[in-house]
């Protein structure tokens, strides 16, 4: 088989596209089919990759709308690119070969949150933060917490298997997905799983669907597992004297049998960027933020305090249980995005992941790569998971080839350490050139066969990583 | 397509089988290919279902042995049934159409437990209890804990997506599976995932493989996620005055935002069976056992004690943190299996699962079904998950048709409540007659297509639930 890196296919023939748009407008009504400038807000995502515009944006308001759209697209053989919140970082929602953006942000609403079942049933257009708020109000807890939680939507969370800091203890979105209603690429309605908290009955296709980035089908209803809301949360900001010192402290915390919900890291260069915006304690050069859920967390605070006070790498420790004081401890992390924009015109943020114990070694790799290619970098992320957000920064376009070389070196170093191209953002179009370096030909062929079973004509999200040559449709 | 209930296919032609056995013996050496009485210990599992004997048992000691066996089976078109610990309850490891039992219990050994990576790499023949012990010794924790943990093996745990009490908080085996090396049904070597704790890179085929019951491939190496061992565990036995009372107490505990690692239930009839073996407090008729992991668990004990002391359904509460006292509180659950055998000659134990809040209603269903069909029953299991082990008991063969009718009614009642046929045991051959009632024709066709991609000739575990008519091979 050919792999995912071959030349992109032709886009749809204009006559087929025009006919398809007429059919869509007739079937859905003109208010749901946008063309021209009205498409623009739905034609981009939160990635920096170039892409042509779609031929139309369909605003689906029901499962029937989704099914009708996919059936018409199959009939006229034109691409469909599903999109929910549009906060993806990898270009997975970009219409690389034109066709239809199938927008599910109007297919919204929390259908049910059940305290008895400890489940939530939502539509793909629900904003994650709204689900969090609704759960909290009922004393319930949905752990996944990607940093875009104020705008990202559950449809996209499932499509990318979104993570976030709490994934360390609780796992990513897939671990919380109990069921999903899908319209497959072939236009069939598929109800997978349901509200039971566990299941060993046939192939658990919902778990394959999670992380499939809109290449298998479109979620129209999502059932999620919840937990009771932990009564208390303890946040501990641990200022360390150096990057290697912070890595050592993180390892010491885990070896001492603490189980934080999250264990975040900001390297020295990241701290330098926010140094002007916040109070950084004297001698504090790198930062760990650990968070613990439970009750009686003061016992954890005391034991952790005792442990940390004996470590020479630790400079200052701040701990808080009160929500507003906890939020203040997260301030450095929250200030990061804006502060970074002030020091650079361009940045690319990757989310490579390595086996946890290799995170320190990957930091060394990044330093070496930055030096070799003369590219500024800063790294922060999920130290507990070995999932690091490596950022390369540049100001002038003539630096870009060096950034590209550094990116290539980063991905190769990650894979050499037994890592993966993405911990939580997905592949999209961003990482297609390295996909075959992570996934063997046997695996890619099997993935392509699975794609073909869900999407026989290859209309969903063509030209991206999935499906090998099958996905590289020629229209 | 035809569904999974059609008539079984023919078994392999004797001449092809003889030729295959000669080829296997030549390739692997005679010591690894057992026939005749030497096959017997590997020809059964822990299910009550009739099955023919296999034609041979291959004792694989390496990945190469597995690949050689599957390749020869493909060449001669004879069935291969993978088997690890043989503790399955559903007949998934029975050679329904003869052929080869591919025994992986000799493919054993813990290859690595890494404190730095928080991962374990094991072979499929490792006994789960041995992994638990090795992890504990290093201050680490692998949560899944099916009751067969003293004899079941990781290969089977992955194949059935095994659960256990702690699945309530921590999820089933699938949630802890980071990677798996597989020889596919087509005989290809496939390395899926790895030691990274999270990943969003392509279709996560390892998650599809989990729970596939030996129908897609054979695991030869398994990489698992670990946590730091919780410093303390609190076990609380809550004696309740009735079944509905216990269901209400369980709901109250969760509504009060306690997050137990497990929340187990034994109904009045189950308690009656063990009443003679253990001290049951006056007025105690049904039992809940809750367990909490963490530190500072005395705070949990105090708040829980306060909550329970105000509940009229609660009779007596015993709590313990000390390991030997905790073990004593689990005594009732441990005594169950032997005690049940004393009161009945035959029993069948199902593991249906319903949405958590419907567990009480399912208990009512079971009482109604037992009365209607005049079948003795007792129910215990994972109240937190809605995953109940419903046991039907009988002494004489002429009661069996009534038991069969009760079973049918149980599965239909479960599905009517949005439940699933199995929470943790799998489908095997036990639940094939109801498979189509849970999984739509669209879902079954898609599952069959996935099966065909991994196992093009349908040699793996033929005649069971997977793969619809494709799996019902005619040799």
């Amino acid at each position: 088989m050919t792999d995912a890196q071959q030349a992109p296919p032709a886009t749809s023939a204009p006559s087929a596209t025009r006919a398809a748009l007429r059919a869509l407008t007739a079937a859905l009504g003109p208010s749901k089919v946008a063309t021209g400038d009205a498409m623009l807000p739905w034609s981009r995502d939160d990635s920096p990759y170039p892409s042509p515009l779609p031929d139309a944006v369909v605003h689906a308001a029901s499962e029937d709308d989704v099914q009708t759209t996919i059936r018409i697209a199959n009939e006229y053989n034109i691409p469909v690119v599903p999109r929910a919140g549009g906060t993806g970082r990898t270009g997975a929602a970009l219409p690389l070969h034109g066709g239809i953006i199938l927008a599910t942000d109007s297919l919204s609403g929390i259908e049910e949150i059940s305290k008895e079942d400890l489940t939530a049933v939502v539509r793909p257009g629900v904003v994650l933060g709204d689900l969090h708020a609704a759960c909290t109000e009922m004393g319930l807890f949905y752990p996944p917490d990607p940093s875009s939680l104020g705008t990202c939507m559950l449809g996209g969370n499932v499509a990318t298997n979104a993570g976030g800091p709490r994934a360390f203890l609780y796992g990513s979105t897939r671990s919380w997905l109990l069921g999903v209603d899908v319209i497959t690429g072939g236009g069939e309605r598929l109800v997978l799983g349901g509200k039971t908290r566990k299941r060993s009955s046939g192939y658990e296709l919902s778990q394959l669907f999670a992380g499939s980035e809109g290449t298998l089908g479109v979620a129209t209803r999502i059932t999620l597992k919840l937990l009771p809301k932990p009564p208390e949360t303890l946040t501990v900001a641990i200022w360390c004297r150096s990057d290697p010192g912070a890595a050592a402290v993180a390892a010491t915390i885990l070896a001492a049998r603490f189980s934080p919900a999250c264990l975040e890291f900001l390297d020295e260069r990241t701290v330098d960027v926010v140094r002007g915006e916040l109070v950084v304690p004297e001698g504090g050069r790198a930062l760990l933020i650990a968070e613990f859920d439970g009750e009686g967390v003061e016992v954890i605070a005391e034991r952790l305090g005792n442990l940390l006070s004996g470590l020479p790498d630790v400079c200052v420790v701040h701990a808080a249980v009160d929500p507003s004081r906890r939020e203040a401890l997260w301030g450095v992390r929250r200030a990061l995005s804006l502060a970074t924009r002030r020091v650079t015109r361009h940045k690319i943020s990757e989310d490579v992941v390595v086996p946890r114990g290799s995170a320190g070694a990957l930091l060394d790799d990044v330093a070496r790569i930055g030096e070799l290619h003369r590219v500024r970098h800063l790294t922060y992320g999920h130290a507990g998971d070995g999932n690091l957000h490596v950022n390369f920064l540049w100001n002038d376009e003539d630096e870009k080839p060096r950034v590209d070389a550094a990116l290539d070196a980063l991905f190769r170093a990650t894979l050499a350490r037994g890592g993966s191209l993405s911990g939580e953002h997905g592949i999209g179009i961003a990482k297609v050139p390295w996909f075959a370096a992570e996934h063997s030909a046997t695996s890619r062929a099997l993935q392509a066969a699975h794609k073909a079973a869900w999407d026989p004509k290859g209309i969903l999200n063509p030209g991206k990583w999935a499906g090998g040559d099958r996905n590289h449709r020629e229209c």
Side-chain angles (χ1 to χ4, degrees), chain A:
Chain A
M1 65 168 288
T2 54
D3 64 35
Q5 286 160 264
Q6 67 179 65
T11 51
S12 312
S15 60
T17 303
R18 280 194 301 274
L21 295 194
R22 279 195 300 275
L24 281 167
T25 307
L28 301 172
S31 68
K32 289 180 182 165
V33 184
T35 55
D37 285 354
M39 303 188 303
L40 291 179
W42 288 269
S43 301
R44 302 288 316 151
D45 62 8
D46 200 18
S47 76
Y49 304 102
S51 168
L53 288 176
D55 295 300
V57 174
V58 168
H59 293 283
S62 69
E63 183 180 50
D64 283 350
D65 288 351
V66 173
Q67 189 167 35
T68 299
T69 304
I70 291 186
R71 289 195 162 168
I72 288 173
N74 269 283
E75 194 180 331
Y76 293 93
N77 201 27
I78 64 167
V80 172
V81 180
R83 184 188 196 277
T87 59
R89 308 298 298 271
T90 67
L94 294 181
L96 215 50
H97 298 289
I100 299 160
I101 291 277
L102 179 44
T104 57
D105 49 332
S106 302
L107 183 45
S108 193
I110 297 174
E111 290 195 344
E112 184 197 61
I113 297 180
S114 168
K115 210 160 173 161
E116 292 69 35
D117 294 335
L118 293 173
T119 51
V121 181
V122 302
R123 295 294 194 162
V126 169
V127 171
L128 174 60
D130 294 345
L131 175 63
H132 281 177
C135 287
T136 299
E137 197 160 312
M138 293 178 68
L140 298 171
F141 181 44
Y142 175 69
D145 58 346
S147 63
S148 55
L149 60 86
T151 47
C152 68
M153 293 176 183
L154 269 306
N157 288 180
V158 170
T160 56
N161 186 30
R166 291 197 289 244
F168 175 62
L169 183 62
Y170 296 107
S172 299
T173 301
R174 182 184 287 119
S175 300
W176 299 90
L177 182 68
L178 296 179
V180 61
D181 294 4
V182 177
I183 304 297
T184 67
E188 292 191 275
R189 183 165 183 263
L190 193 61
V191 178
L192 299 174
K195 289 174 69 181
T196 66
R197 290 178 69 81
K198 65 207 280 211
R199 205 177 306 114
S200 289
S201 176
Y203 302 138
E204 195 62 47
L205 298 181
S206 65
Q207 298 290 296
L208 184 73
F209 183 80
S212 64
E213 296 189 16
T215 64
L216 298 179
V218 179
T220 58
R221 181 181 281 108
I222 296 162
T223 303
L224 300 164
K225 183 162 75 165
L226 305 177
L227 287 175
K229 178 86 180 162
E232 294 174 333
T233 298
L234 166 72
T235 304
V236 185
I238 306 160
W239 287 97
C240 301
R241 301 190 191 280
S242 67
D243 289 345
V249 171
T252 303
I253 291 170
L254 297 174
R257 294 168 59 178
F258 288 94
S259 262
C262 49
L263 186 51
E264 295 288 294
F265 167 69
L266 284 75
D267 82 346
E268 300 179 21
R269 289 158 181 270
T270 307
V271 169
D272 281 342
V273 164
V274 289
R275 203 171 274 277
E277 325 257 332
L278 292 158
V279 182
V280 173
E282 180 75 27
R285 299 199 56 208
L287 178 64
L288 288 173
I289 304 177
E291 202 158 81
F292 300 84
D293 289 333
E295 68 190 298
V297 290
E298 62 276 14
V299 180
I300 299 174
E302 192 184 331
R303 187 165 74 91
L304 184 62
N306 289 340
L307 176 76
L308 296 176
S309 68
L311 299 180
D313 292 313
V314 173
C315 167
V316 176
V317 178
H318 299 294
V321 177
D322 173 75
S324 64
R325 289 199 52 226
R326 287 180 44 228
E327 190 56 32
L329 294 184
W330 280 102
V332 180
R333 182 78 153 88
R334 310 255 186 259
L336 200 52
S337 191
L338 272 178
T340 308
R341 271 182 223 164
R342 273 188 214 114
V343 301
T344 186
R345 284 169 66 189
H346 306 288
K347 69 162 183 161
I348 190 155
S349 178
E350 287 307 332
D351 80 314
V352 292
V353 58
V354 290
R356 218 210 70 73
S358 300
L362 188 71
L363 280 181
D364 294 341
D365 292 338
V366 171
R368 185 180 45 73
I369 289 166
E371 194 166 349
L372 180 67
H373 297 287
R374 291 176 292 128
V375 176
R376 287 180 70 194
H377 56 88
L378 54 87
T379 298
Y380 57 89
H382 316 307
D385 283 323
N387 179 201
L388 295 177
H389 295 296
V390 179
N391 291 257
F392 290 121
L393 319 180
W394 73 102
N395 285 318
D396 299 315
E397 272 314 303
D398 62 0
E399 297 175 70
K400 192 65 191 341
R402 299 206 311 271
V403 171
D404 290 341
L407 261 187
D408 180 68
L410 171 68
F411 288 129
R412 296 193 189 282
T414 299
L415 296 176
R417 296 203 180 278
S420 173
L421 298 171
S422 172
E424 53 187 14
H425 292 174
I427 298 299
I429 55 178
K431 295 154 206 168
V432 170
W434 299 274
F435 194 71
E438 178 172 350
H439 299 265
S440 69
T442 305
S443 172
R444 297 197 312 276
L446 198 49
Q447 293 185 58
H450 286 2
K451 158 83 173 166
W454 292 66
D455 180 22
K457 290 182 117 178
I459 64 152
L460 281 181
N461 226 341
K464 296 188 181 159
W465 56 273
D469 54 358
R470 271 194 175 274
N471 195 30
H472 292 162
R473 56 199 291 281
E474 283 157 16
C475 301

